[in-house]
Amino acid sequence: MIHLSDVYHSYATGTRALQGIDLRIDDGEFVFLVGPSGSGKSTIIKLLTGELRPTAGRVSINGYNTSKMRASEIPYLRRTIGVVFQDFRLIEKKTVYDNVAFAMRVVGAAPKEIRERVAYVLDLVGLAHKARRKPNELSGGEQQRVAIARALVNNPSLIIADEPTGNLDPDRSLEIMMLLEHINDLGTTVLVVTHEKELVNRFDRRVVAIDGGLIVSDKTGGYYQYEQQT
């Protein structure tokens, strides 16, 4: 579960990124976090992954209180979270299989466990037949599927997808969103950060809108129309 309670965050530059955020996302939910550039979306992601700590308030995620956690606890928090980025962040010299397996090797998983789990997630994302290919042999949509497989391989309870379709065409974007929806149906909590209005409107899911460091809308179905607030 994610719970932000009266969270504020200011950067050293004086920028007040968050100004009293209250947000709860329960286990198993699928949530879109939307908002214009500079609204505070990236700051929320950094708070959830332990990269930042709130200036004030409480951030709880998967049983960890990131407001007070020790630096030594951060790697354990991050093992409960899979993060998918817009730019894929694959290792170009490694195969699809090794890109995904690398995430398990880092946490010391046994070879047999790695073989079984990597095979499972590659099948889940539809890339079992391309396990020995390199990233530059794949399309953009396929590379993002590898990134999703890598995020899933350590069986996290939460997937955070940060603009996961930003580099993809509309058809591939829809495919990626449908894959994330399927992953959510299997029990994983999914938080998708995006500005793609048309894509959000294709899915009848909870949409949390942030603007100026404040939550301005929290409802199911439909992208929040910022122009109505101007």
Side-chain angles (χ1 to χ4, degrees):
M1 182 183 75
I2 296 170
H3 190 196
L4 280 68
S5 179
D6 198 26
V7 171
Y8 289 76
H9 187 76
S10 296
Y11 290 96
T13 58
T15 300
R16 300 172 68 182
L18 301 178
Q19 303 188 61
I21 294 287
D22 289 296
L23 175 65
R24 176 179 171 135
I25 298 175
D26 290 327
D27 292 341
E29 278 199 86
F30 186 114
V31 179
F32 287 108
L33 178 63
V34 304
S37 297
S39 60
K41 302 189 303 296
S42 295
T43 300
I44 288 178
I45 293 174
K46 291 175 181 178
L47 289 171
L48 294 179
T49 60
E51 185 175 342
L52 294 176
R53 298 192 184 202
T55 305
R58 179 186 175 97
V59 177
S60 300
I61 175 169
N62 296 340
Y64 291 89
N65 178 358
T66 68
S67 312
K68 297 181 178 180
M69 69 189 304
R70 298 185 299 271
S72 60
E73 295 180 284
I74 293 175
Y76 296 97
L77 163 67
R78 290 176 178 168
R79 290 182 191 182
T80 73
I81 305 168
V83 183
V84 180
F85 301 97
Q86 176 178 342
D87 56 357
F88 317 140
R89 302 194 185 182
L90 302 178
I91 303 170
E92 292 296 328
K93 294 182 179 180
K94 291 185 179 290
T95 64
V96 166
Y97 179 95
D98 285 332
N99 263 279
V100 178
F102 181 74
M104 295 189 74
R105 293 183 179 123
V106 166
V107 300
K112 182 175 184 293
E113 183 185 3
I114 292 173
R115 288 193 300 272
E116 292 175 352
R117 183 66 183 172
V118 173
Y120 169 75
V121 294
L122 287 180
D123 184 60
L124 179 64
V125 303
L127 288 177
H129 62 299
K130 295 195 175 182
R132 298 303 170 188
R133 300 286 183 88
K134 299 286 183 63
N136 62 7
E137 300 177 82
L138 305 178
S139 68
E142 288 171 336
Q143 290 186 60
Q144 191 61 290
R145 286 173 178 268
V146 177
I148 291 171
R150 182 183 57 196
L152 277 173
V153 76
N154 283 320
N155 199 28
S157 57
L158 167 68
I159 292 288
I160 298 175
D162 185 10
E163 300 286 359
T165 60
N167 287 331
L168 305 177
D169 63 52
D171 287 343
R172 301 294 81 74
S173 295
L174 182 60
E175 287 179 5
I176 292 300
M177 289 309 311
M178 291 176 68
L179 174 58
L180 290 170
E181 190 173 50
H182 177 57
I183 289 166
N184 174 248
D185 289 341
L186 295 175
T188 304
T189 307
V190 175
L191 175 63
V192 178
V193 181
T194 185
H195 66 277
E196 296 193 43
K197 171 182 169 182
E198 292 76 13
L199 197 59
V200 172
N201 289 341
R202 296 285 296 268
F203 297 85
D204 187 28
R205 297 289 186 165
R206 181 181 172 193
V207 181
V208 176
I210 183 171
D211 196 6
L214 294 166
I215 291 177
V216 293
S217 177
D218 186 345
K219 64 179 183 176
T220 299
Y223 191 98
Y224 183 75
Q225 302 296 310
Y226 297 97
E227 60 269 23
Q228 294 175 2
Q229 299 298 304
T230 60

